[in-house]
Amino acid sequence: MTMPDASSLDLPVSRFLADHPASRTVLAELGVAASADAEFMASAAPFLSMGSLLTLNGLSATLFLAAVDAAGRSAKGPGGMTPLFCDGWTPGGPGLRLFLSLPCPLKAPMGIALENLRDSLTPDAPWPRMFMDSCGKHTLNDLAAGLTRPEEVPDMVVSAGLNGFLSKSFRDRFAGGGLLAELPQAMHPALAAAGLADPRRVCRIYAVNPLVLVAVPSRLNGLPVPRSFEDLLNPAYAGKIGLCGPPETAGDSTLLLDIRLRHGLSAVADLGRAMLCDTHPAQIFRPAPGAKAPPIGVMPAFFANAAPRQGDVEIIWPDGGALASPLFVMVKETAKAALDPLLDFFLGKETAAIAAGAALPPTLPGADASLPPGASVRFLGWDVLESQDLGPLIAESGAAFAKAYYSREG
């Protein structure tokens, strides 16, 4: 059995684990939970090097290699394993690879459209191996801020949300020097004022996922319907606002970040004391018999538009703009020519039409922006993304929210 040396730490995690199966046990003993996570193995392990995984977890490479060596020598059976999925690695290199992360309403229609696109190409046309996440943790979205080597960056990234690919650390390392290709930044007039165009021109936001308010006036007992996210800070609405997801994730970090940057951490704590978490949108639209459903909800526009309604449900496009979570594309300069059909697809009319049909306003000029009359969107801002790392901001905001949420129960 070949024991690992320092150069093997440059291999993707998936390949290192395949070559040195004893390293799984070592990582588990060192508390690296990601290595046993299916989401991590499917979406991040084919890109992230083992050396980077150790660095992200504050582990010594020298001690890790020694532990793997010792564990491998004492192990019985064959000295290698075949990955449960194809990681795309070959001795000549990994080939073209695409990391794909889509919001729920796009997964099925985009999957069909991508199959149709591949069928339309000649059999010898370049086509990347695709690695998809499924909205879990330990994905490449979560870990992208910690990538340090160009080879860890996928040839194409199609992602969604305020994640590590938009972080200052990722952009400072990879957005200059020609690694990432410059992409068109022309915006639909209805979205131009939101400032979605990337000043470095390497990230193309092709659509946005707007966060809106939903209210049932008959359950508000005379209180006015909130018209903005700032209205939610009014103590009168405490206990009347439902948010999808547990307090630890606070449904959507976009909301917490916006409140944090505009009004400070104390306002985030106020929101934590006011909200009811783990409220699925369906509970607001159609509560179960006998359930005391919150009269106000914060949710993506596609949920608000798709859920079956009963009673006097009102969807409110917030004054000052719906908070926009970005859907974006990046591609390596060296892969751009080979991936042009895919790039044209994601930045073109078909994807714009699919996004608009899912209540995700596309940015393509001339497309149907699917915005209500007079509505606008509000983006966190490239100035924020360029000046502050998202990870600490999200963690700080989430911690303040969760602490306040649980303190009201004590």
Side-chain angles (χ1 to χ4, degrees):
M1 180 186 301
T2 302
M3 290 298 109
D5 57 21
S7 65
S8 65
L9 296 178
D10 292 338
L11 291 172
V13 171
S14 57
R15 182 51 42 182
F16 188 99
L17 294 177
D19 291 346
H20 309 287
S23 60
R24 288 178 176 273
T25 301
V26 173
L27 288 171
E29 291 173 347
L30 292 172
V32 183
S35 62
D37 183 89
E39 188 84 69
F40 171 82
M41 291 303 301
S43 76
F47 299 100
L48 188 73
S49 71
M50 180 56 79
S52 291
L53 180 65
L54 297 177
T55 298
L56 288 171
N57 286 275
L59 298 175
S60 163
T62 302
L63 295 179
F64 171 74
L65 290 172
V68 173
D69 189 353
R73 292 182 188 282
S74 63
K76 297 179 181 180
M81 58 173 279
T82 300
L84 296 178
F85 57 91
C86 184
D87 61 9
W89 186 92
T90 67
L96 293 170
R97 300 187 297 174
L98 184 156
F99 173 73
L100 184 62
S101 179
L102 298 169
C104 293
L106 291 189
K107 291 183 186 294
M110 291 286 266
I112 294 170
L114 286 170
E115 288 181 10
N116 291 338
L117 173 61
R118 185 172 190 180
D119 289 344
S120 73
L121 301 175
T122 60
D124 60 343
W127 190 261
R129 183 169 279 102
M130 294 189 185
F131 299 88
M132 301 178 66
D133 82 342
S134 58
C135 306
K137 291 297 180 185
H138 304 303
T139 78
L140 201 60
N141 283 332
D142 302 303
L143 301 172
L147 301 183
T148 58
R149 305 165 66 235
E151 54 267 36
E152 293 177 323
V153 180
D155 295 290
M156 180 179 282
V157 172
V158 181
S159 189
L162 296 173
N163 61 52
F165 286 111
L166 300 182
S167 68
K168 174 175 167 56
S169 52
F170 180 90
R171 286 168 63 80
D172 283 349
R173 290 190 187 106
F174 302 118
L179 179 71
L180 299 175
E182 290 193 0
L183 299 176
Q185 298 295 320
M187 289 288 156
H188 192 290
L191 300 171
L196 298 168
D198 178 12
R200 303 205 205 196
R201 304 186 64 82
V202 298
C203 177
R204 169 63 180 180
I205 296 178
Y206 69 90
V208 293
N209 188 356
L211 206 61
V212 300
L213 301 172
V214 170
V216 183
S218 62
R219 295 189 216 147
L220 280 170
N221 298 323
L223 285 173
V225 170
R227 293 295 167 188
S228 70
F229 291 111
E230 283 72 21
D231 285 348
L232 302 183
L233 300 175
N234 186 331
Y237 295 115
K240 296 179 171 62
I241 310 163
L243 189 69
C244 188
E248 288 73 19
T249 60
D252 190 313
S253 59
T254 308
L255 174 62
L256 297 194
L257 284 175
D258 184 75
I259 295 296
R260 162 75 178 85
L261 292 168
R262 288 174 176 270
H263 304 286
L265 275 179
S266 61
V268 174
D270 291 341
L271 208 58
R273 285 184 284 269
M275 284 191 160
L276 303 173
C277 289
D278 279 329
T279 302
H280 192 275
Q283 293 177 266
I284 295 172
F285 288 109
R286 302 183 70 176
K292 188 177 180 181
I296 302 167
V298 180
M299 65 188 69
F302 72 81
F303 271 141
N305 285 282
R309 309 175 201 171
Q310 69 178 24
D312 56 332
V313 175
E314 182 178 347
I315 298 175
I316 302 122
W317 200 277
D319 293 344
L323 295 177
S325 184
L327 283 62
F328 59 91
V329 175
M330 294 184 288
V331 64
K332 281 183 173 177
E333 181 64 48
T334 55
K336 185 174 182 292
L339 297 178
D340 255 347
L342 270 167
L343 187 62
D344 290 344
F345 166 76
F346 282 112
L347 303 189
K349 294 181 180 179
E350 185 172 3
T351 290
I354 293 172
L360 302 169
T363 62
L364 182 70
D368 175 12
S370 67
L371 292 177
S376 64
V377 300
R378 194 164 81 199
F379 180 49
L380 187 68
W382 288 107
D383 55 338
V384 173
L385 296 173
E386 291 281 315
S387 63
Q388 303 184 61
D389 248 326
L390 279 175
L393 273 179
I394 292 173
E396 179 187 52
S397 303
F401 180 92
K403 181 179 179 181
Y405 182 89
Y406 287 118
S407 68
R408 68 186 183 186
E409 299 177 357

